[in-house]
Amino acid sequence: MSAPARFDRGHTDDLMSFLATSPSPYHAVANTAERLEKAGFRQVAETDAWDGSSGGRYVLRGGAIVAWYVPEGAQPHTPFRIIGAHTDSPNLRVKPQPDAGAHGWRQVAVEIYGGPLLNSWLDRDLGLAGRLTLRDGSTVLVNVDRPLLRVPQLAIHLDRSVSSEGLKLDKQRHLQPVWGLGDDLRDGELIAFLEVEAGLTAGSVAGWDLMTHSVEPPAYLGRDRELVAGPRMDNLLSVHAGAAALASAATSGAPLTHIPVLAAFDHEENGSQSDTGADGPLLGTVLERSVFARGGSYEDRARSFAGTVCLSSDTGHAVHPNYAERHDPTHHPRVNGGPILKVNVNNRYATDGSGRAVFAGACEKAGVPLQTFVSNNSMPCGTTIGPITAARHGIRTVDIGVAILSMHSVRELCGADDPFLLANALTAFLED
């Protein structure tokens, strides 16, 4: 078995472009859909009747996408192979009444989404992106990808204790960005500005889902450019790799004994409980409708789900050189060491021994090295969509991902090899 090339610059370059052009979950799913369209997939509406013919299809709902490829000869009871990921990342999101300010400063009122490293948002040049809902119910994407906002840090001269006691931020008072000057605050000013940016008629916007993002582009880093620094790797790195793997499975011509699926959900960072989150009905509904569209019964649905496997792909923690004691002493995943298998016996991750065998087999087939992540017993373990998917749908699920540093920062850090290695492993999983 031959190993893949150590470093595929094309794949990593494409990931960096994907990160830069996906400042919100809505942009991420639009970009994913565009990539799948090039591989022959077509969008289907949830309100339409579906047919059982072969080919690639996808459903868009808000910041989530579920895409699947039905190979020739697929039966109603044919099982699925699923790559699960999420499109959202921790950030600062615009409140319903966004226009604020004081003492001659114009500000934007924001709310904290998920669990961001708050200090990483200070003194950054920030853009604004998301979704505008018009009065007729349609939506328009907007992306002001230039320096527009800034959360200015308090000068050390006015906070002498910061050096000895550390930075202390009040989420309500200290994270509101500035975006201009003036005392005459006017309601509707921000949305009016965005209507102009999006080329819309004044007063046409009825609702919005907007969030800030750093406008600094992703970049290679290090002596040998062996690292990548960029935003939203948690978890657009997995979305990008999953889309590449699904497109490969659909176009490779390899015989498939199952139906490959990509499910990229929204709202993982705040619990997944929404109509576009992993704890909602979206995935189960799509899979069931696919079974029934091919003439299947409830019995076929049960048989299909019983043979289905899901890889929940999300970023994990590489060993930190400055904080190695925070990691389990016998499990030190390294960047550029290949994907990680994430294990927790208390089911914060869904991996068990049989699941490990599935992913280890895919990595072996792809010639990709495999690492394992386990939390230090003295520290709480994070979680993913993996346990939710397993419990909600009765599907065998395995938690995997790529090891990174600075998780939940505005700017995270991964190895330049690892995205390519993950995509190879995911491709082998779907094409097995």
Side-chain angles (χ1 to χ4, degrees):
M1 176 180 54
S2 60
R6 177 182 176 274
F7 178 51
D8 187 309
R9 178 60 57 87
H11 180 89
T12 306
D13 286 348
D14 190 62
L15 168 63
M16 293 165 71
S17 175
F18 184 76
L19 294 173
T21 57
S22 301
S24 77
Y26 315 108
H27 291 82
V29 298
N31 287 331
T32 301
E34 181 180 1
R35 282 166 162 73
L36 293 176
E37 290 269 0
K38 292 178 181 178
F41 285 70
R42 60 182 177 86
Q43 183 177 0
V44 293
E46 293 185 80
T47 53
D48 291 344
W50 294 359
D51 65 60
S53 60
S54 60
R57 298 170 179 79
Y58 66 89
V59 165
L60 292 182
R61 184 192 290 184
I65 181 171
V66 180
W68 66 104
Y69 177 77
V70 180
E72 291 284 351
Q75 301 299 310
H77 60 270
T78 297
F80 300 92
R81 285 221 162 180
I82 304 167
I83 297 169
H86 67 88
T87 61
D88 59 318
S89 300
N91 55 21
L92 310 179
R93 301 203 172 188
V94 176
K95 288 183 174 180
Q97 297 179 10
D99 301 294
H103 307 291
W105 294 96
R106 276 190 168 86
Q107 294 177 277
V108 175
V110 296
E111 191 173 4
I112 311 302
Y113 178 82
L117 286 172
L118 297 178
N119 63 293
S120 71
W121 288 88
L122 302 178
D123 297 331
R124 294 271 185 179
D125 295 336
L126 303 176
L128 198 60
R131 176 178 69 173
L132 301 174
T133 302
L134 308 186
R135 297 190 180 279
D136 63 3
S138 62
T139 59
V140 174
L141 298 185
V142 63
N143 182 13
V144 184
D145 195 31
R146 64 178 186 273
L148 178 68
L149 307 163
R150 188 178 179 90
V151 182
Q153 188 169 188
L154 184 64
I156 192 171
H157 312 80
L158 304 178
D159 186 12
R160 295 290 184 179
S161 65
V162 70
S163 296
S164 58
E165 299 178 12
L167 180 65
K168 298 178 181 179
L169 295 173
D170 182 284
K171 293 181 179 180
Q172 178 61 39
R173 294 184 294 123
H174 299 154
L175 273 299
Q176 308 305 309
V178 300
W179 77 302
L181 300 174
D183 289 307
D184 55 332
L185 298 178
R186 297 183 294 273
D187 287 341
E189 187 173 26
L190 178 68
I191 300 306
F193 166 79
L194 293 175
E195 287 174 334
V196 173
E197 288 289 317
L200 300 172
T201 303
S204 59
V205 172
W208 51 87
D209 302 280
L210 300 167
M211 57 206 71
T212 58
H213 66 276
S214 172
V215 299
E216 185 180 4
Y220 290 106
L221 184 147
R223 182 191 64 185
D224 298 319
R225 292 163 57 90
E226 70 268 48
L227 302 170
V228 173
R232 298 176 294 280
M233 292 182 183
D234 178 16
N235 184 33
L236 296 187
L237 189 158
S238 293
V239 175
H240 176 265
L246 180 59
S248 176
T251 58
S252 68
L256 300 175
T257 59
H258 52 269
I259 297 169
V261 180
L262 171 65
F265 302 100
D266 201 352
H267 301 132
E268 188 273 347
E269 298 292 356
N270 63 7
S272 295
Q273 292 186 323
S274 71
D275 68 327
T276 54
D279 204 17
L282 178 59
L283 176 61
T285 298
V286 169
L287 299 184
E288 288 177 347
R289 291 186 67 177
S290 176
V291 170
F292 298 151
R294 283 176 276 122
S297 62
Y298 182 81
E299 179 73 9
D300 292 310
R301 180 262 189 211
R303 293 175 64 190
S304 174
F305 278 38
T308 292
V309 184
C310 174
L311 294 185
S312 166
S313 183
D314 204 345
T315 53
H317 304 293
V319 61
H320 197 301
N322 300 336
Y323 301 91
E325 73 281 0
R326 303 295 181 95
H327 300 263
D328 182 86
T330 59
H331 295 79
H332 281 176
R334 297 189 176 192
V335 297
N336 286 337
I340 55 173
L341 185 80
K342 302 161 78 171
V343 179
N344 179 263
V345 295
N346 293 303
N347 263 26
R348 300 292 286 174
Y349 303 130
T351 307
D352 61 12
S354 64
R356 184 192 189 285
V358 170
F359 189 57
C363 289
E364 182 179 4
K365 178 183 177 182
V368 169
L370 173 62
Q371 308 182 87
T372 304
F373 172 82
V374 178
S375 288
N376 186 305
N377 286 339
S378 300
M379 303 190 69
C381 180
T383 191
T384 68
I385 65 167
I388 294 171
T389 303
R392 182 172 182 84
H393 307 294
I395 290 172
R396 182 166 49 154
T397 303
V398 189
D399 271 296
I400 64 154
V402 161
I404 69 170
L405 293 182
S406 305
M407 188 183 294
H408 286 198
S409 172
V410 167
R411 202 162 175 83
E412 296 164 323
L413 185 70
C414 79
D417 295 358
D418 284 330
F420 175 60
L421 296 175
L422 175 65
N424 274 267
L426 296 181
T427 300
F429 167 73
L430 292 185
E431 294 183 357
D432 187 11

